[in-house]
């Protein structure tokens, strides 16, 4: 059941729901039969690998910022707080842009978004290398890297998710490993570049590397292979009014404040305590590697344990990690233990957020729902690094900022305790779905809410509804509040002839 929607960092948004609601930009795959041939194919694997490489480059490059902080602060004459605001702005736009990239994916497909975002990302890094004041870094790094990567990360993950049915869990593991590997590998590379060439040339080298990676990935990526008849706006509005969504939104803010804050400041704090710079950089690499373990470990038992319960476990693990950091001091083994525990919690959060959202609210409009969720996560990402930076300057050390984010992480864990484990009752749609306009045919008749969740792939439909029968491919259904016009909540209901 939990292979329905596997998400990434980033989590990953199944914006394919929005993208598949029209025949436009679907590369001629206008029928479900064509989509079935595409799914789980070699071509689909190229999409998954391309998504993994592109998102890994984006996440990894942004999370190398901690390695640049000391050199940039010294040259610009700014403290930790003003310098950390650069990554705060970038991560806010990185995640906040998801609410725009879903509708754009629906209109133009993933490849134009990757090209446009990749050019912005390259330009942001190149211009940051020439910045003469910190405020220019806010614009170049924030808009270029943050907004640029935000244009394509969620759409690529959604496209990859929609490209598989039987092998979706494995493919999402491949996609989700990209951000973890990018973080783990690029941080030591950035440190080596800074040590040997300085921070400005290092940004230029990363810019060139990102341009090459994004160009290769643009060749590998293909559009979403499914046409659907979905009008998700009314459903999204009902979801946003639920108490469960409010819990997820508040939890996302309280999770991202300590997470992104620590990714920005852990190298700075460790070196201030006397840890070697390269050893401090290995802490961020450990977070990246252990996040992959967290993704694989928690998702492997999600079917038996339940995604909501595991999400609560990930939230509960976060304050444990920061408690370890709070009392670590200059003990490197304890700092490494903090990094490993944090990575497991982070990886579990990223892998489970999309699954939990689909489980609670269904897949209709999940791209828009997750886009709103990412805005809350981005808000926390804007707050975390800057707050930790200013607190460290005010207190003259790292103890107070670490203590503050420990309390924030604990509050996030407590906020998730009331989260229901069962799908949230939602009223059925009262409006008919708008017709789509296939590429190779006239407009179809409007599809009712009852029919929209039971798309027939051919005249010879099997008795049991399979994931491949659904648009987008998923086994999730929202649970209705009333029986009339309700969604079916079970996939083993006999199909009507």
């Amino acid at each position: 059941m939990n292979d329905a929607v596997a998400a990434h960092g980033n989590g990953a948004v199944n914006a394919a729901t929005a993208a598949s609601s029209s025949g436009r930009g679907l590369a001629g795959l206008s029928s479900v039969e064509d989509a079935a041939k595409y799914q789980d194919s070699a071509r689909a694997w190229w999409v998954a690998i391309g998504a993994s490489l592109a998102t890994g480059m984006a996440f990894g490059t942004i999370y190398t910022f901690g390695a640049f902080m000391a050199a940039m602060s010294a040259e610009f004459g700014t403290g930790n707080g003003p310098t950390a605001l650069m990554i705060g702005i970038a991560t806010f736009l990185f995640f906040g842009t998801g609410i725009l990239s879903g509708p754009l994916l629906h209109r133009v497909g993933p490849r134009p978004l990757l090209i446009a975002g990749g050019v912005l990302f390259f330009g942001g890094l190149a211009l940051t290398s020439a910045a003469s004041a910190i405020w220019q870094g806010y614009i170049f790094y924030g808009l270029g890297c943050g907004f640029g990567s935000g244009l394509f990360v969620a759409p690529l993950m959604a496209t990859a998710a929609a490209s598989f049915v039987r092998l979706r869990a494995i493919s999402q593991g491949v996609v989700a490993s990209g951000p973890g590997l990018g973080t783990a590998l690029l941080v030591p590379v950035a440190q080596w570049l800074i040590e040997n060439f300085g921070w400005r040339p290092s940004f230029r080298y990363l810019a060139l590397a990102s341009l090459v990676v994004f160009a290769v990935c643009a060749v590998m990526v293909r559009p979403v292979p499914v046409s659907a008849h979905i009008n998700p706006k009314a459903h999204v509005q009902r979801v946003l009014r639920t108490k469960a969504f409010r819990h997820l939104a508040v939890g996302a803010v309280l999770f991202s404040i300590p997470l992104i804050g620590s990714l920005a400041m852990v190298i700075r704090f460790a070196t201030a305590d006397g840890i070697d710079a390269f050893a401090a950089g290995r802490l961020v690499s450990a977070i990246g590697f252990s996040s992959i373990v967290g993704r694989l470990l928690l998702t492997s038992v999600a079917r038996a344990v339940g995604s909501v319960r595991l999400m609560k476990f990930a939230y509960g693990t976060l304050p444990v990690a920061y408690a370890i950091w709070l009392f670590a001091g200059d003990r490197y083994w304890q700092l490494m233990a903090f990094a490993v525990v944090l990575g497991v919690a982070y990886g579990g959060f990223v892998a489970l957020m999309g699954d939990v959202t689909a489980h609670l609210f269904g897949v209709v409009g999940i791209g828009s729902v997750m886009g709103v969720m990412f805005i809350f996560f981005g808000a926390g990402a804007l707050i975390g690094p800057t707050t930790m930076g200013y607190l460290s300057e005010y207190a003259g050390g790292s103890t107070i900022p670490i203590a503050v984010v420990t309390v924030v992480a604990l509050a996030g864990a407590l906020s998730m305790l009331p989260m229901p484990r069962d799908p949230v009752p939602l009223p059925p749609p009262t409006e008919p779905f708008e017709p789509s306009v296939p590429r190779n045919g006239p407009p179809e008749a409007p599809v009712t809410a009852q029919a929209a969740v039971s798309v027939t792939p051919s005249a010879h439909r099997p008795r049991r509804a399979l994931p491949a029968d659904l648009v987008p491919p998923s086994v999730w259904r929202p649970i209705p509040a009333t029986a009339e016009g309700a969604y079916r909540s079970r996939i083993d209901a006999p199909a009507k002839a």
Side-chain angles (χ1 to χ4, degrees):
M1 185 168 59
N2 288 292
D3 64 346
V5 179
H8 132 40
N10 62 140
V13 181
N14 194 354
T17 302
S20 61
S21 61
S22 171
R24 293 171 295 185
L26 302 185
L29 293 171
S30 57
S31 70
V32 180
E33 289 87 348
D34 290 338
K37 296 177 182 178
Y38 173 92
Q39 289 159 346
D40 300 303
S41 67
R43 178 179 166 187
W45 278 111
W46 281 111
V47 173
I49 295 171
S52 180
L53 291 174
T55 56
M57 191 71 204
F59 273 89
T61 302
I62 288 179
Y63 288 161
T64 62
F65 184 81
F68 290 86
M69 276 196 64
M72 296 182 72
S73 296
E75 181 166 335
F76 292 138
T78 55
N80 292 336
T83 309
L85 184 58
M86 285 179 60
I87 189 174
I89 294 172
T91 49
F92 171 72
L93 292 174
F94 184 102
F95 292 104
T97 307
I99 198 170
L100 301 176
S101 61
L104 287 174
L105 175 63
H106 161 68
R107 292 179 178 274
V108 302
R111 182 177 290 169
L113 292 177
L114 175 56
I115 293 173
V119 170
L120 284 174
F121 196 91
F122 165 79
L125 289 174
L127 291 173
T128 301
S129 71
S132 58
I134 193 68
W135 66 265
Q136 295 176 9
Y138 298 156
I139 298 174
F140 300 148
Y141 193 81
L143 288 177
C145 296
F147 183 76
S149 56
L151 281 178
F152 63 80
V153 167
L156 287 183
M157 292 183 170
T159 303
S163 300
F164 292 87
V165 179
R166 293 184 299 104
L167 303 175
R168 182 177 297 139
I170 299 174
S171 68
Q172 287 298 282
V174 172
V175 175
S177 67
L181 285 175
T183 302
L185 298 178
L186 288 178
V187 170
V189 169
Q191 286 187 305
W192 184 86
L193 290 172
I194 295 168
E195 181 74 17
N196 290 275
F197 302 103
W199 71 268
R200 292 182 184 275
S202 299
F203 269 131
R204 289 193 285 271
Y205 284 125
L206 288 176
L208 289 173
S210 67
L211 188 64
V212 172
V213 170
F214 295 149
V216 171
C217 294
V219 176
M220 301 169 71
V221 168
R222 293 292 187 273
V224 179
V226 179
S227 293
H229 311 277
I230 296 177
N231 181 8
K233 293 182 180 179
H235 175 79
V236 173
Q237 292 173 358
R238 290 191 296 272
V239 169
L240 299 186
R241 289 195 294 265
T242 63
K243 185 180 293 186
F245 178 84
R246 290 194 291 271
H247 282 298
L248 284 175
V250 172
V253 174
L254 297 178
F255 196 98
S256 62
I257 288 175
L259 172 66
I260 306 300
S262 59
L263 286 170
M265 303 303 301
V266 64
I267 295 177
R268 188 77 160 153
F269 287 175
T271 53
D273 288 334
I275 303 297
D276 176 74
F278 283 93
R282 285 194 291 271
L283 297 174
V284 181
S285 296
I287 294 173
F289 279 122
S290 58
S291 72
I292 300 174
V293 175
R295 287 174 171 91
L296 299 177
L297 178 64
L298 295 185
T299 54
S300 66
V301 298
R303 182 184 299 271
V305 179
S307 294
V308 175
R309 187 179 284 113
L310 288 175
M311 177 67 80
K312 293 179 180 180
F313 171 79
Y315 270 84
T317 305
L318 198 66
V320 175
Y322 287 99
I324 295 173
W325 192 18
L326 181 62
F327 297 103
D330 59 355
R331 292 181 290 275
Y332 188 72
W333 68 268
Q334 201 165 335
L335 291 172
M336 185 60 69
F338 151 73
V340 170
V341 176
L342 176 62
V344 171
Y346 169 45
F349 170 85
V350 168
L352 293 168
M353 177 57 74
D355 212 3
V356 168
T357 304
H359 171 62
L360 294 175
F361 310 117
V363 297
V364 176
I366 192 174
S368 299
V369 174
M370 290 296 293
V372 176
M373 189 75 67
F374 272 19
I375 289 180
F376 287 94
F377 191 91
L382 179 63
I383 296 169
T386 308
T387 300
M388 292 188 72
Y390 277 113
L391 284 175
S392 67
E393 294 176 345
Y394 175 80
S398 60
T399 302
I400 289 181
I402 296 174
V404 169
V405 295
T406 302
V407 173
V408 173
L410 180 60
L414 295 175
S415 72
M416 291 296 290
L417 291 179
M419 176 65 62
R421 293 200 297 266
D422 297 323
V424 176
L426 295 172
T430 57
E431 302 176 358
F433 290 97
E434 297 177 356
S436 66
V437 182
R439 280 193 167 200
N440 303 316
E444 300 176 3
V447 182
T448 64
Q450 182 71 17
V453 297
S454 183
V455 178
T456 303
S458 67
H460 305 287
R461 180 175 179 174
R463 175 176 174 80
R464 296 169 66 88
L466 301 174
D469 300 332
L470 309 177
V471 184
S474 175
V475 297
W476 296 105
R477 300 286 201 285
I479 301 300
T482 62
E484 183 178 359
Y487 292 98
R488 292 202 315 273
S489 61
R490 295 172 55 87
I491 65 169
D492 57 354
K496 293 182 180 179

